[in-house]
Amino acid sequence: MSLVERKLTRGLLGAVAALSVLGTASVAAAQSVVLRATGPSSKTYPAGKKLAANSEIVLKSGDVVTVLDKAGTRVLRGPGKIKLDGAVVRDRTGSQRVADLVSGGTGARARTGAVRGAGSGAASATHTGPTNIWQIDSTKGGTWCVADPARLVFWRPDRVEAVTGKVTGQAGSSDIAWKRGSALKLWPQDLAVVDNATYTLEMPGEAPVTIITRVLPQVPTDDATAVFSMLNDAGCEAQRDLLVEAAYADAEAMAETPEDESDSED
């Protein structure tokens, strides 16, 4: 086989492999995951439940189920049968907000310890919450999922004054010094972020909070459905709930009711 033929063969094999990956991604993108469910069937559709593409769910009177897929969020109301075929027009505002929460959290670390690329909310004086799901809320304990230990940051609600906190783990402790006007501070470089490890965060004037870190492998930046499932499975409730709130706000305005004959039936 000549050099040209070998190159053509490799090129064809590469194209086949790429198509295979795209096909797999298409299947994954078509899946939905339950964000929230209330009503008689809520136990049948717990948060985090994965629903296959084109599957049909049966809802009773009083059921309200919110699902998320790559196209956005969708609120389903019973009674009736509803097919998850992706045919419903969605509000992309909520979908974009969810995408920003997922992908905006791994800002680059500079030598000075500043956090860059943290999202526009980080610089807003009126912002009242983390700008993405990968920032640890300094006021909340519990389990926190970590996408990139090297870029993990703490977020504080009150950025007016400079304050110094302390995080303590099994390997020691380290100070965390926020500058005046700054809401974000990188996790101390001299304190390793370990999977399934417990840390104590102490902030001036506040009760200490206990943090358990779960380091996630290969977190996708463009698939909110997969990220939600990872957060839910790992027990990272604060981050999971932040995604739910972002997704649910606009989906509620577009809720499908029993009167929507195109998607549900008695």
Side-chain angles (χ1 to χ4, degrees):
M1 181 181 293
S2 68
L3 177 61
V4 174
E5 289 173 329
R6 286 199 297 271
K7 288 184 177 180
L8 287 174
T9 300
R10 285 197 296 268
L12 288 172
L13 290 175
V16 171
L19 289 173
S20 176
V21 170
L22 288 173
T24 302
S26 177
V27 172
Q31 293 179 336
S32 302
V33 63
V34 176
L35 296 181
R36 181 184 297 170
T38 59
S41 303
S42 58
K43 291 184 178 180
T44 304
Y45 302 104
K49 182 181 178 68
K50 299 177 182 65
L51 304 171
N54 296 315
S55 60
E56 187 177 73
I57 65 174
V58 180
L59 300 181
K60 300 178 181 179
S61 179
D63 280 334
V64 180
V65 178
T66 305
V67 298
L68 171 71
D69 61 24
K70 272 198 169 182
T73 48
R74 182 177 178 185
V75 177
L76 315 173
R77 297 182 183 275
K81 296 179 181 179
I82 303 177
K83 188 175 183 180
L84 300 178
D85 54 8
V88 178
V89 177
R90 320 215 183 186
D91 188 335
R92 295 307 177 92
T93 303
S95 180
Q96 184 59 52
R97 184 164 56 247
V98 169
D100 290 342
L101 283 171
V102 170
S103 64
T106 52
R109 179 172 61 195
R111 290 182 181 274
T112 59
V115 178
R116 298 177 180 176
S120 58
S124 171
T126 59
H127 188 67
T128 58
T131 57
N132 60 74
I133 61 173
W134 307 117
Q135 297 168 1
I136 296 180
D137 188 335
S138 64
T139 67
K140 296 181 179 179
T143 301
W144 289 86
C145 287
V146 181
D148 185 350
R151 299 180 180 183
L152 181 60
V153 300
F154 285 103
W155 173 88
R156 62 167 178 158
D158 184 1
R159 71 188 67 185
V160 178
E161 301 295 337
V163 299
T164 299
K166 182 171 71 173
V167 59
T168 302
Q170 187 175 0
S173 63
S174 185
D175 289 342
I176 310 174
W178 276 270
K179 294 182 179 180
R180 182 178 181 180
S182 177
L184 304 178
K185 185 63 182 179
L186 282 162
W187 182 281
Q189 297 182 42
D190 56 356
L191 189 62
V193 180
V194 181
D195 181 43
N196 207 29
T198 300
Y199 303 86
T200 300
L201 176 63
E202 299 175 78
M203 294 288 287
E206 303 292 339
V209 296
T210 299
I211 295 171
I212 300 173
T213 53
R214 294 299 308 273
V215 180
L216 303 179
Q218 299 179 338
V219 177
T221 59
D222 60 350
D223 191 343
T225 304
V227 173
F228 177 87
S229 295
M230 296 176 80
L231 297 175
N232 188 70
D233 294 344
C236 300
E237 296 181 0
Q239 293 156 290
R240 179 200 66 191
D241 293 346
L242 186 60
L243 271 187
V244 170
E245 291 171 7
Y248 192 78
D250 289 331
E252 176 64 19
M254 300 186 68
E256 298 165 50
T257 64
E259 288 73 28
D260 188 349
E261 296 296 332
S262 62
D263 291 282
S264 64
E265 59 186 70
D266 295 334

